[in-house]
Amino acid sequence: MQIELEINGSVELIDAVEGEDLAAALRRNGHTEVKCGCDGGSCGASTVLVDGDPEMACGMTAADAEGESIETVAALGTQSDLHPVQEAFVDHFAVQCGFCIPGMVLSATALLEENPDPTEEDIRAAIDDNVCRCTGYQKPVEAIQDAAGRMDTLAADGGVPGGADE
Ligand code: FES
Ligand code: FES
């Protein structure tokens, strides 16, 4: 069956098998930036934003997402124009194997959109569902604290975080 979704700002028709989860369907349709770890809703690797809220894409069917606005990490920045959250993760050495990072960056971005000045506790709560086997979480927390300041500065300058190369 075909399912219509808005993915990273563009309407797309994706192929999905009956009952297929959103993460698998997105990956099969080219969105391999969505990662699958546990495939059971417990590691956070498959986190995407659904209408702005972090959701584990393996925990919902593609059919249930019909008509929703989905953002993957590809909606944020590009390699040459990173989103402030991505830039802060790089600058703070908060990335090791990288497998959890797309989901963690999306959870952090959603937090900062809603709460531009989070406490460390807020940050730890926001990434609580994003399991990371490598970093010990301290560097990602520091990166997200720094990203909050970067996004403030960008907003004060009237800029838009990340975005496509133009
Ligand atoms: S793969 Fe979806 S939460 Fe682990
Ligand atoms: S960087 Fe390896 S799992 Fe998080």
Side-chain angles (χ1 to χ4, degrees):
M1 62 180 166
Q2 292 216 304
I3 292 170
E4 187 175 292
L5 299 170
E6 185 186 307
I7 305 174
N8 300 336
S10 302
V11 175
E12 288 187 34
L13 271 181
I14 66 166
D15 289 318
V17 178
E18 191 78 40
E20 186 175 29
D21 69 68
L22 178 62
L26 286 170
R27 286 181 58 79
R28 215 163 33 70
N29 285 269
H31 293 283
T32 51
E33 70 273 22
V34 179
K35 301 304 176 199
C36 284
C38 65
D39 212 13
S42 58
C43 77
S46 65
T47 300
V48 296
L49 301 185
V50 180
D51 287 335
D53 294 324
E55 300 279 353
M56 296 183 203
C58 69
M60 64 194 301
T61 65
D64 281 345
E66 174 115 50
E68 302 280 11
S69 167
I70 308 294
E71 284 172 85
T72 73
V73 74
L76 298 183
T78 63
Q79 208 160 357
S80 59
D81 183 19
L82 294 174
H83 184 281
V85 174
Q86 294 170 310
E87 205 173 54
F89 267 68
V90 172
D91 290 349
H92 285 265
F93 302 101
V95 180
Q96 290 189 32
C97 80
F99 201 79
C100 69
I101 298 300
M104 197 182 290
V105 161
L106 285 166
S107 295
T109 303
L111 167 70
L112 296 179
E113 291 289 342
E114 200 176 296
N115 176 4
D117 189 22
T119 63
E120 179 173 341
E121 198 180 6
D122 295 333
I123 292 170
R124 288 186 182 275
I127 61 171
D128 194 40
D129 287 336
N130 298 97
V131 175
C132 177
R133 302 293 296 267
C134 307
T135 65
Y137 301 99
Q138 187 57 36
K139 286 183 186 301
V141 168
E142 289 167 8
I144 297 164
Q145 286 170 324
D146 185 10
R150 295 180 192 219
M151 286 176 73
D152 263 357
T153 306
L154 198 66
D157 293 345
V160 178
D165 290 331
E166 290 181 287

